């Protein structure tokens, strides 16, 4: 397959920077657009260091139609990987308009500019958060949707918009149909094995692994474990953790699928990207001690509002249609997270 130029929106962020590494290493020229609202351009300098290859960076907001159109006119973009957006669940409840504006409106502007530039190939960062409570704790792509916070609803709305765009192609018999992969991530953790790029949260982390890392390194005193009275094997919440490098490899497999016969007449399909097995909070703490030798000081506190007891992926569709499955184990995820934390105790600062 000829390696064409990929626009990575949000490419300076945690997952986007790892995607840039994987794309460059696989021979794709990379163009990044990021407004640096939740990242630093240093991550992109590190991407170039890891790969020994340059990328083009534009500091711009995806809602800025003029700047975005200029990028599309200058660069020979064929696929867009769309990571740009806001992602904190709690913040989305406090600032719903900001989340809908960044995520939903931002994606609409991007899609409009893509359509004008005749670029119709899109890999979108969706989330397992789009699923609703269901009878089964293992989620398949056809499990019922029902997000319960503005962040999750922004992802579900974007999925609807992109499905509608693709459906319209059939009605208007589009010559150049949309080819869209909606990738529903479970819980990405880990970092590139070099320890040069990783997750650099602002302030006190919301998510489990960054919190564990900051307790282990002494920046935070104690991990709050949100509830030990769930109907799970040890009472704590179970999630499907996935190494960020496995995750971004799934995006490259998605590009290959979009370029293949499978999508010859266009389409918009959702795929779970997860390992298909879950670990509890206490299992993560235990594994962390085994892998790093560091004991994580923790305290059981009441449940966090909105948390499910257990949630993990059925990843069979991604295996069947994208030829993708996770390769890394929990120990790799922990070792790589810890390596990044130790080498960058202050993140990119
Ligand atoms: P991140 O915040 O590290 O990266 C997002 C990047 O987008 C940042 O660099 C930010 O500066 C940029 N950005 C935000 N709004 C923008 C805008 N309007 N214009 C241009 N750039 C903008 O987050 P991440 O963890 O790398 O997540 C990437 C994507 O994956 C997001 O869409 C997120 O919702 C989705 N996702 C993340 C997770 C997770 O747990 N990390 C899980 C599921 C889905
Ligand atoms: C994992 C487990 C917590 C922190 C979130 C978003 C989701 C997606 C991924 C973007 C749960 C427990 C956590 C802590 C704890 N992001 N926990 N103490 O909630 O599964 O998913 O990130 O799309 O949308 O909701 O991930 O890492 O926050 O929590 O006990 O300090 O760890 O209760 O069981 P979550 P998480």
């Amino acid at each position: 397959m000829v390696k064409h130029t990929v626009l990575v929106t949000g490419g300076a962020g945690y997952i986007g920077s790892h995607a840039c590494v994987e794309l460059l290493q696989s021979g794709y020229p990379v163009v990044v657009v990021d407004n640096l609202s939740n990242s630093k351009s240093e991550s992109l300098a590190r991407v170039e260091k890891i790969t020994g290859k340059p990328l083009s960076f534009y500091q711009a907001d995806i809602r800025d139609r003029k700047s975005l159109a200029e990028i599309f006119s200058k660069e020979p973009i064929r696929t867009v990987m769309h990571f740009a957006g806001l992602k904190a669940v709690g913040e989305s409840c406090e600032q719903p308009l900001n989340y809908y504006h960044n995520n939903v409106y931002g994606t609409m502007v991007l899609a409009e500019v893509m359509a004008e530039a005749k670029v119709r190939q899109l890999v979108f960062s969706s989330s397992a958060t789009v699923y609703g409570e269901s009878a089964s704790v293992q989620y398949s792509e056809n499990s019922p949707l029902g997000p319960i916070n503005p962040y999750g609803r922004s992802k579900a709305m974007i999925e609807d918009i992109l499905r509608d765009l693709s459906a319209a192609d059939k009605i208007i018999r589009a010559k150049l149909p949309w080819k869209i992969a909606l990738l529903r991530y479970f819980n990405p953790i880990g970092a590139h094995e070099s320890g040069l790029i990783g997750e650099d949260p602002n302030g006190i982390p919301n998510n489990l692994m960054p919190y564990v890392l900051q307790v282990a390194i002494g920046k935070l005193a104690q991990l709050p474990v949100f509830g030990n009275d769930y109907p799970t094997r040890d009472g704590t919440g179970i999630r499907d953790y996935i190494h960020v490098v496995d995750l971004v490899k799934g995006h490259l497999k998605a590009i290959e699928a979009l370029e293949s016969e499978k999508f010859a007449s266009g389409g918009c399909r959702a795929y779970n990207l997860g390992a298909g097995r879950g670990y509890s909070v206490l299992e993560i703490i235990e594994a962390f001690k085994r892998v790093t030798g560091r004991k994580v000081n923790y305290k059981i506190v009441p449940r966090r509002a909105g948390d499910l007891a257990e949630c993990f992926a059925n990843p069979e569709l991604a295996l069947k249609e994208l030829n993708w499955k996770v390769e890394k184990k929990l120990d790799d995820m922990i070792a790589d997270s810890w390596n990044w934390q130790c080498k960058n105790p202050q993140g990119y600062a």
Side-chain angles (χ1 to χ4, degrees), residues 3 28 45-46 53 59 66 89 97 159-160 167 170 179 195 214 232 239 252 258 268 279 298 313 315-317 349:
K3 298 295 169 63
Y28 292 92
R46 307 263 184 109
K53 293 184 180 173
Q59 184 173 348
K66 192 164 163 277
V89 171
L97 283 178
E159 286 201 1
D160 275 340
K170 290 196 186 66
K179 300 179 180 186
Q214 295 198 10
T232 59
R239 295 291 181 277
L252 274 80
L258 296 181
C268 176
Y279 292 98
Y298 70 89
E316 280 167 22
L317 191 67

Side-chain angles (χ1 to χ4, degrees), residues 89 127 129 151 187 206-208 224-226 239 241 304 307:
V89 171
S127 169
T129 310
Y151 165 70
N187 290 59
N206 299 309
N207 298 116
L208 180 64
V225 174
F226 297 135
R239 295 291 181 277
Y241 297 95
R304 180 171 69 178
D307 272 354

Side-chain angles (χ1 to χ4, degrees), residues 3-271:
K3 298 295 169 63
H4 57 265
T5 301
V6 177
L7 174 69
V8 183
T9 75
Y14 170 45
I15 304 170
S17 57
H18 288 82
C20 290
V21 166
E22 209 56 40
L23 285 165
L24 288 169
Q25 285 180 335
S26 302
Y28 292 92
V30 169
V31 177
V32 168
V33 56
D34 198 304
N35 65 2
L36 303 182
S37 60
N38 196 37
S39 54
K40 302 201 172 57
S41 58
E42 174 62 18
S43 63
L44 296 173
R46 307 263 184 109
V47 167
E48 292 182 330
K49 190 170 175 194
I50 293 169
T51 60
K53 293 184 180 173
L55 54 74
S56 305
F57 172 51
Y58 296 87
Q59 184 173 348
D61 194 298
I62 54 164
R63 294 165 295 179
D64 175 352
R65 189 184 304 268
K66 192 164 163 277
S67 299
L68 207 53
E70 261 171 39
I71 298 168
F72 276 88
S73 69
K74 273 193 214 142
E75 305 279 357
I77 296 159
R78 183 175 163 97
T79 299
V80 176
M81 272 190 195
H82 179 30
F83 297 97
L86 303 179
K87 63 163 182 177
V89 171
E91 191 182 64
S92 79
C93 300
E94 291 159 14
Q95 309 169 12
L97 283 178
N98 194 20
Y99 271 67
Y100 292 124
H101 203 264
N102 254 279
N103 296 2
V104 181
Y105 175 69
T107 305
M108 288 171 64
V109 173
L110 174 67
E112 284 165 7
V113 173
M114 286 176 69
E116 280 157 22
K118 300 197 166 33
V119 176
R120 305 285 170 98
Q121 211 152 266
L122 177 64
V123 180
F124 172 61
S125 298
S126 189
S127 169
T129 310
V130 297
Y131 292 118
E133 272 216 71
S134 111
S136 166
V137 292
Q138 185 176 31
Y139 290 82
S140 297
E141 288 77 0
N142 54 13
S143 295
L145 302 187
I148 57 163
N149 53 64
Y151 165 70
R153 278 190 281 274
S154 77
K155 292 290 180 187
M157 285 177 195
I158 295 167
E159 286 201 1
D160 275 340
I161 291 169
L162 296 177
R163 269 189 292 270
D164 286 345
L165 261 184
S166 174
D169 281 339
K170 290 196 186 66
I171 302 167
I172 62 169
R173 294 207 178 85
K175 284 208 184 70
L176 184 64
W178 285 92
K179 300 179 180 186
I180 303 172
L182 310 170
L183 303 183
R184 295 177 180 158
Y185 313 163
F186 280 70
N187 290 59
I189 60 170
H192 189 263
E193 61 181 8
S194 63
L196 284 169
I197 56 172
E199 187 171 12
D200 182 15
N202 272 331
I204 296 181
N206 299 309
N207 298 116
L208 180 64
M209 185 50 71
Y211 210 114
V212 165
L213 294 170
Q214 295 198 10
V215 171
I217 207 154
K219 279 172 84 176
L220 292 169
Q222 197 173 49
L223 171 76
V225 174
F226 297 135
N228 68 349
D229 56 352
Y230 284 107
T232 59
R233 45 188 178 262
D234 62 19
T236 65
I238 292 179
R239 295 291 181 277
D240 185 336
Y241 297 95
I242 169 172
H243 197 295
V244 65
V245 172
D246 275 339
L247 182 76
V248 299
K249 284 185 175 162
H251 292 61
L252 274 80
K253 290 288 192 181
I255 295 185
E256 286 173 26
L258 296 181
E259 290 274 329
S260 76
E261 271 307 300
K262 281 186 206 103
F263 276 83
S265 50
C268 176
R269 297 185 208 169
Y271 299 99

